Amino acid sequence: EDQVTQSPEALRLQEGESSSLNCSYTVSGLRGLFWYRQDPGKGPEFLFTLYSAGEEKEKERLKATLTKKESFLHITAPKPEDSATYLCAVHPGSNYKLTFGKGTLLTVNP
Amino acid sequence: DTGVSQNPRHKITKRGQNVTFRCDPISEHNRLYWYRQTLGQGPEFLTYFQNEAQLEKSRLLSDRFSAERPKGSFSTLEIQRTEQGDSAMYLCASSSGTGGVEKLFFGSGTQLSVL
């Protein structure tokens, strides 16, 4: 069974304080790993897809990286508007069901 | 607006009642998915459609749940004889259906509260 574990469950940062979120996974035949952002009361919003170990993607203050067992979402000099829950999900090789982690609730204080 | 649309946004019902939710995907998307999310958890897969065909259903989807996608356009999710444990956010997503690794576009969800 595919599994995704995200840590920490919650992270509180000061504005400008860089940090990383972790996503560990076990999946049969990874086809892709997704990062989504979710604001309260809304659906997840797509951020990145990573396909193979060693790959990196960047968008504004966010950078996602992938190894064979985990992915990191690095946030550089965060701003209060980056506060959200960040979800990681894996796309297995055999079907189109994404398995999500529980997410990391990020709070950035001004 | 070309995003995924879900209605209603909120639904409050009494235990034992039936409820139906609607999802309108992005118009050119062939695949449509239903997920359920409870507080503090990530979305859990329920079912998905390729055009009008329902291709996979989760074990989470009990006999009280039924989903349809007539004509491969909008989809409905019905829950019969609701239970308090059904209280959750029901999310719909769509993807292009062109194959490979497809990113899912999610709607804002329907928040169900069963009293």
Side-chain angles (χ1 to χ4, degrees):
Chain A
E1 185 176 323
D2 302 333
Q3 286 192 321
V4 177
T5 303
Q6 292 188 244
S7 61
E9 291 184 5
L11 180 63
R12 189 177 294 271
L13 300 173
Q14 288 298 123
E15 184 172 1
E17 180 186 2
S18 302
S19 189
S20 296
L21 314 182
N22 177 264
C23 170
S24 298
Y25 64 90
T26 55
V27 63
S28 54
L30 180 73
R31 295 180 71 184
L33 183 142
F34 295 88
W35 281 98
Y36 281 86
R37 169 191 170 128
Q38 187 172 28
D39 292 303
K42 296 190 175 181
E45 177 186 348
F46 172 80
L47 291 173
F48 303 109
T49 309
L50 300 167
Y51 298 94
S52 58
E55 188 176 3
E56 298 184 354
K57 294 260 179 92
E58 285 190 66
K59 179 181 179 180
E60 297 180 355
R61 294 176 294 282
L62 299 176
K63 183 170 80 171
T65 62
L66 181 65
T67 73
K68 288 186 178 179
K69 293 184 178 181
E70 57 191 351
S71 177
F72 292 92
L73 184 66
H74 307 277
I75 181 162
T76 302
K79 298 182 178 181
E81 53 262 42
D82 295 321
S83 297
T85 295
Y86 290 86
L87 295 164
C88 172
V90 293
H91 184 310
S94 56
N95 57 56
Y96 287 94
K97 298 187 296 185
L98 294 191
T99 297
F100 283 84
K102 293 182 179 182
T104 294
L105 175 61
L106 175 66
T107 304
V108 182
N109 295 316
Chain B
D1 184 7
T2 57
V4 177
S5 177
Q6 291 189 246
N7 288 288
R9 288 295 315 277
H10 304 275
K11 179 70 177 179
I12 300 174
T13 192
K14 294 183 178 179
R15 189 177 54 185
Q17 298 294 305
N18 299 343
V19 294
T20 300
F21 311 139
R22 176 179 171 123
C23 172
D24 288 273
I26 293 171
S27 59
E28 64 269 25
H29 282 183
N30 294 327
R31 288 205 180 94
L32 185 147
Y33 310 77
W34 286 99
Y35 282 77
R36 181 172 69 186
Q37 186 177 26
T38 53
L39 199 61
Q41 303 294 315
E44 294 178 294
F45 172 83
L46 292 179
T47 188
Y48 89 94
F49 293 83
Q50 171 79 35
N51 297 314
E52 67 274 10
Q54 188 174 17
L55 296 186
E56 192 155 357
K57 292 168 59 173
S58 165
R59 288 169 293 180
L60 294 174
L61 219 61
S62 75
D63 291 345
R64 297 183 298 103
F65 288 70
S66 63
E68 294 182 343
R69 193 183 182 197
K71 303 178 182 178
S73 56
F74 70 92
S75 176
T76 57
L77 179 67
E78 180 182 16
I79 308 174
Q80 296 182 326
R81 304 181 304 282
T82 52
E83 302 173 355
Q84 288 185 327
D86 298 331
S87 296
M89 171 80 85
Y90 289 83
L91 293 164
C92 176
S94 67
S95 68
S96 62
T98 54
V101 180
E102 300 175 357
K103 62 184 180 184
L104 271 60
F105 294 83
F106 283 86
S108 291
T110 294
Q111 182 66 52
L112 173 66
S113 297
V114 182
L115 305 179

